[in-house]
Amino acid sequence: DIQLTQSPSFLSASVGDRVTITCRASQGISSYLAWYQQKPGKAPKLLIYAASTLQSGVPSRFSGSGSGTEFTLTISSLQPEDFATYYCQQLNSYVTWTFGQGTKVEIK
Amino acid sequence: EVQLVQSGAEVKKPGESLKISCKGSGYSFTSYWIGWVRQMPGKGLEWMGIIYPGDSDTRYSPSFQGQVTISADKSISTAYLQWSSLKASDTAMYYCVRECGGSSCAFAFDIWGQGTMVTVSS
């Protein structure tokens, strides 16, 4: 199966900072790449699908890009409610999936 | 409102069996795949497997094949995850998810249950 590696695994940032998280695949993959946000004690929430399409209701400060083996999630201006753990996820083949290991975003 | 509601927390002993549930509402339950995701304490998300309630087509991650069984009862819009013999290492939060389909959100998981915490301890 395809492996997804997120970097960094942990980042410390301030409110208002621009934050970028990278998700690298072990081999070229389709653009069926999604990003999720998980806050402590809560279920994950879908932010972005198809690499760059914002899920309904997600603030526009979140954006996604990339293709092939490298994808990025960007938060243009970090807000207090954005401190969370972020996961990328890829559809490997028909009806099987892989998650990245997660990136925890904490307050500096 | 589209939602998945999971059964409550469980505390079991090693070797015991368990079946947890996930009830869908607010949409056509038989038209979407329902999956299960494990999150061990302090760890990341792991996709376990998925079922299409319309015809019970089921797929498993190689890591979980043979370790768990996924099923569904479409008459009551409920999916299940079961173990025949629990181990301490099965201690985790388990989420059920709806896979939204290719045309809606490119096969991502758009709806998540609230999670079921399973604790296995002697």
Short mmCIF file of all heavy atoms in Angstrom, two decimals, chain B residues 7 42 50 59 103 110 117-118:
data_model
loop_
_atom_site.label_atom_id
_atom_site.label_comp_id
_atom_site.label_asym_id
_atom_site.label_seq_id
_atom_site.Cartn_x
_atom_site.Cartn_y
_atom_site.Cartn_z
N SER B 7 -22.78 3.33 19.39
CA SER B 7 -23.11 2.77 20.70
C SER B 7 -22.10 3.26 21.74
O SER B 7 -21.05 3.84 21.40
CB SER B 7 -23.13 1.25 20.64
OG SER B 7 -21.96 0.74 20.03
N GLY B 42 -3.63 8.42 22.22
CA GLY B 42 -2.52 9.29 21.88
C GLY B 42 -1.92 9.09 20.52
O GLY B 42 -0.86 9.66 20.20
N ILE B 50 -14.42 -1.29 5.46
CA ILE B 50 -15.59 -0.56 5.01
C ILE B 50 -16.62 -1.53 4.43
O ILE B 50 -16.25 -2.60 3.93
CB ILE B 50 -15.15 0.51 3.99
CG1 ILE B 50 -16.19 1.61 3.83
CG2 ILE B 50 -14.78 -0.13 2.64
CD1 ILE B 50 -15.64 2.88 3.20
N ARG B 59 -14.68 -4.57 2.51
CA ARG B 59 -13.23 -4.54 2.27
C ARG B 59 -12.52 -4.29 3.59
O ARG B 59 -13.05 -3.54 4.43
CB ARG B 59 -12.85 -3.44 1.28
CG ARG B 59 -13.72 -3.38 0.04
CD ARG B 59 -13.55 -4.61 -0.84
NE ARG B 59 -14.53 -4.61 -1.92
CZ ARG B 59 -14.32 -4.09 -3.12
NH1 ARG B 59 -13.17 -3.51 -3.39
NH2 ARG B 59 -15.26 -4.16 -4.05
N SER B 103 -18.66 11.54 -6.62
CA SER B 103 -19.18 12.79 -7.18
C SER B 103 -19.40 13.86 -6.11
O SER B 103 -19.39 15.05 -6.41
CB SER B 103 -20.49 12.52 -7.92
OG SER B 103 -21.44 11.96 -7.05
N ASP B 110 -17.04 12.16 4.92
CA ASP B 110 -17.64 13.45 5.23
C ASP B 110 -18.43 13.46 6.54
O ASP B 110 -18.65 14.53 7.10
CB ASP B 110 -18.53 13.92 4.07
CG ASP B 110 -19.74 13.03 3.82
OD1 ASP B 110 -19.72 11.83 4.22
OD2 ASP B 110 -20.70 13.53 3.20
N MET B 117 -15.46 4.28 22.67
CA MET B 117 -14.22 3.91 23.38
C MET B 117 -14.35 2.47 23.86
O MET B 117 -15.30 2.12 24.57
CB MET B 117 -13.99 4.84 24.55
CG MET B 117 -12.68 4.57 25.28
SD MET B 117 -11.28 4.95 24.24
CE MET B 117 -10.02 3.87 24.93
N VAL B 118 -13.39 1.66 23.45
CA VAL B 118 -13.33 0.26 23.88
C VAL B 118 -12.09 0.09 24.74
O VAL B 118 -10.99 0.41 24.31
CB VAL B 118 -13.29 -0.70 22.67
CG1 VAL B 118 -13.08 -2.14 23.14
CG2 VAL B 118 -14.58 -0.58 21.85
#
